[in-house]
Amino acid sequence: EQLAATKPGRCHLRSQGSYLVLRELHTWEKDPEVLNTCEKLIQVLIGDEPQEGMENLLEVTIPEEVEKRLRDMDREEEE
């Protein structure tokens, strides 16, 4: 996940075919935590690049209300 946090890292992962490996892993993996991580990483790799100035996902400020909703959604997925 750390490598996917920056634009150069995401570009490197894409150029090495990581999406194909993750997609294959997702088809046979049974561990829910691994599946969840694969899904999130796949979304980052196939999604649009963030707008200029927000390329480093570790430095993006998320409003408290949005962060709470995201945590609630994660919790619901786990159940």
Side-chain angles (χ1 to χ4, degrees), residues 15-39:
S15 73
Q16 298 301 307
S18 299
Y19 167 74
L20 298 174
V21 173
L22 288 166
R23 187 180 68 187
E24 183 63 26
L25 173 62
H26 190 267
T27 62
W28 57 264
E29 179 60 55
K30 302 285 189 245
D31 186 316
E33 286 186 44
V34 174
L35 283 172
N36 189 32
T37 301
C38 279
E39 290 168 3

Side-chain angles (χ1 to χ4, degrees), residues 38-66:
C38 279
E39 290 168 3
K40 289 179 180 180
L41 186 51
I42 287 169
Q43 288 302 315
V44 169
L45 292 176
I46 66 173
D48 293 335
E49 278 296 319
Q51 63 189 11
E52 190 173 325
M54 299 182 80
E55 294 94 347
N56 187 337
L57 301 178
L58 295 176
E59 296 175 352
V60 174
T61 303
I62 301 171
E64 189 175 319
E65 175 185 304
V66 173

